[in-house]
Amino acid sequence: MERSKFSFWIWLFYFILFEVVVYLGLSYLLSGLGESNQVQEENTVVPNWVKAVVFILLYLLCMLIAVMVVSNMVPNKYRPQLMKWVYLGLLGLPVMLILLFN
């Protein structure tokens, strides 16, 4: 029982590390898109909408690749537990979008 709690914290660390690396990488990659000054006379919705959509698509691609890699590495009996990390990552996506535009 103690071993499973310890492994949960290790996987939580890997998950947080993955999320931080993906967020920093994508925010650096997409730094040229969008408008930083939202209070303008011109409409800035379209460039920021493109930035948001590209961020979401690239994030989902990174998550899909990570799920495929981890799914091939873990034994079959642990694969259903992988989905809770996917759902947690999807819940973190709006938080990352808010951080991206602030």
Side-chain angles (χ1 to χ4, degrees), residues 52-68:
V53 170
V54 171
F55 183 86
I56 292 170
L57 291 176
L58 289 177
Y59 177 78
L60 291 175
L61 179 67
C62 291
M63 184 182 286
L64 178 66
I65 291 170
V67 166
M68 288 173 31

Side-chain angles (χ1 to χ4, degrees), residues 8-36:
F8 170 77
W9 293 108
I10 291 174
W11 283 108
L12 181 64
F13 172 74
Y14 287 144
F15 173 76
I16 292 172
L17 183 69
F18 169 77
E19 294 289 319
V20 168
V21 167
V22 168
Y23 172 75
L24 292 176
L26 290 179
S27 63
Y28 176 75
L29 184 67
L30 301 175
S31 63
L33 290 176
E35 297 289 333
S36 60

